[in-house]
Every structure is written in C-alpha cells, then in structure tokens.
Amino acid sequence: MKISLQPELIFSLIIMTALAIFFVYAGKKVMAANPLERPKGVVLVVETGIETVYNYMKSIMPESFEKNYYPYFAMLFVYLICANLSGLIGFDSPTSNYSITLAITLITFVLIQWNALKKKGGLTYIKELIWPPTNLLSAVAPLISLSMRLFGNILSGTILMGLVYSFTGWLSGLISVPFNIFGPVIAPVLHAYFDVFSGCIQTLVFVTLSSILIAIEAE
C-alpha cells in the first residue's frame, strides 16, 4: 500500500511548524520585556495583534464566551492568514485543499453542536436535531457552507493565477522569448487581489461566521 502526502498538507505542516517556532520565540520576548517601557519590535507586533483580534471577538461574541473562545479564534485567524497568503511565496495554499478546510470547519462544527447540547440538554437537543428531519440538514449546513466557501474562493484564485501564468508564458513563446516576460508585469496586480485581498477577506469571513454561529447556540 502506497501512502502519499498531498503538497497542501506538507505546506500546512511547514506553516504550523513555523508558527510554533515564532510563538515560542515571541513568548520569550514578551516575558523578558519590561512592562514599564513602550513595547517595540516583536513584542509590539504581538501585543497589537492580540489586542486587535480580542477587541474584534469581544464585539461579536457574548462576554462570557469571548475569553473562552479567543485562543481558538486567534490561532485560527493567524493560521488562515498565513495559509491563504502562502501562494505569494510559491506554496500550494493549504486552504485550496478541501480536506484541510473541512478539517478546520469540523472544529467549529463540534463547538456549535457542543454549545447547543449544553444549552438545550441531551433529550431536547436530540429531539430538535432529528425532528422534523429538515433540522438535521440545518445542523449540517454550516459544516458544508463554511468549508466550501473558504475552499472555493482560495482554489478559484489559485486556478486563475495558474491560467494567467500559462497565458503569459504562451505569449512569450509567440515572440520566441525563452522565459515568461509578461508574467512579472501582469501577475503582481492580480496577486494583490486574488492572494492578498481575497485571502484576508476570506479569513475574516470564516472567523466571523464561525464565532457568530457558536454565539447563537451559546446565548
């Protein structure tokens, strides 16, 4: 039996390893920093990021839940940003693989159902889940919609950029140039949209919808 790893999974592991190393390094910097002095460098970046994400989560989640779920959503936000933008450095974006977006969404899905179970109780939860039968579809819908939205948007950008490079390479071949001279001229503008803008927007949409769906069941 031959086992092969998909490139997106390998790049996902590389991103997670790099993030883990950075967090350990940043944590040591924060612990060693003087709290009476103005933060700078890595400490400033980390504190700004933590405060930004925390304030955003606080604005859309109940007060009793924002602290509990902040670590999850903060880590999710950082990972998705890195994964969605990784195409800029030649990686196959992990979120262009449906198995990865489905795995991420499964965590949110479990949290949604767990909060619904705690709120309603076991018998009521099961009753409302299976009757009427359409409720079961409603329960599964977030799992499908969140994973497919993230996967579809990132994959479409990857495919379109691949077509752009193929087309510019073909144009370069028409004038007998041995390398793609049009790609570096046209591609940066398109990368700014499909990788940077779209990647950041999809990260924000995924985190926002996930937190809202969990908050709805938690209230």
Side-chain angles (χ1 to χ4, degrees), residues 13-36:
L13 293 174
I14 293 173
I15 291 171
M16 288 188 289
T17 301
L19 287 175
I21 294 172
F22 172 76
F23 291 146
V24 171
Y25 169 76
K28 292 182 178 179
K29 284 288 187 179
V30 171
M31 292 178 64
N34 187 343
L36 300 179

Side-chain angles (χ1 to χ4, degrees), residues 15-217:
I15 291 171
M16 288 188 289
T17 301
L19 287 175
I21 294 172
F22 172 76
F23 291 146
V24 171
Y25 169 76
K28 292 182 178 179
K29 284 288 187 179
V30 171
M31 292 178 64
N34 187 343
L36 300 179
E37 295 181 356
R38 179 177 295 181
K40 58 183 179 180
V42 174
V43 177
L44 177 61
V45 173
V46 170
E47 289 188 1
T48 302
I50 290 174
E51 184 178 6
T52 300
V53 177
Y54 180 74
N55 289 337
Y56 181 71
M57 298 309 303
K58 189 175 181 179
S59 68
I60 57 179
M61 293 197 79
E63 184 177 356
S64 58
F65 283 85
E66 105 245 345
K67 291 183 179 180
N68 294 334
Y69 288 105
Y70 168 76
Y72 165 63
F73 284 114
M75 191 63 242
L76 184 63
F77 187 89
V78 174
Y79 171 78
L80 288 179
I81 281 287
C82 293
N84 292 345
L85 300 183
S86 61
L88 293 173
I89 57 175
F91 282 15
D92 290 334
S93 177
T95 44
S96 65
N97 187 312
Y98 185 64
S99 63
I100 293 179
T101 61
L102 180 61
I104 296 171
T105 311
L106 272 171
I107 302 173
T108 295
F109 178 75
V110 170
L111 291 174
I112 293 171
Q113 302 308 314
W114 172 247
N115 279 286
L117 178 61
K118 288 197 301 181
K119 177 183 176 181
K120 300 173 182 177
L123 292 177
T124 303
Y125 169 77
I126 295 174
K127 178 182 177 181
E128 293 184 0
L129 183 65
I130 64 176
W131 191 261
T134 52
N135 284 356
L136 185 58
L137 295 177
S138 298
V140 178
L143 176 63
I144 300 173
S145 63
L146 285 175
S147 59
M148 288 298 295
R149 178 184 287 106
L150 179 60
F151 163 71
N153 280 281
I154 301 302
L155 180 62
S156 62
T158 301
I159 293 174
L160 287 173
M161 288 309 304
L163 293 174
V164 168
Y165 281 114
S166 296
F167 177 69
T168 53
W170 175 76
L171 285 180
S172 300
L174 287 180
I175 57 176
S176 301
V177 177
F179 55 90
N180 189 345
I181 62 172
F182 297 110
V185 177
I186 301 174
V189 177
L190 299 176
H191 274 302
Y193 177 79
F194 290 115
D195 288 321
V196 180
F197 178 76
S198 180
C200 292
I201 289 297
Q202 291 309 313
T203 297
L204 187 62
V205 169
F206 188 91
V207 171
T208 301
L209 290 178
S210 297
S211 60
I212 290 174
L213 290 170
I214 292 174
I216 289 174
E217 295 298 340

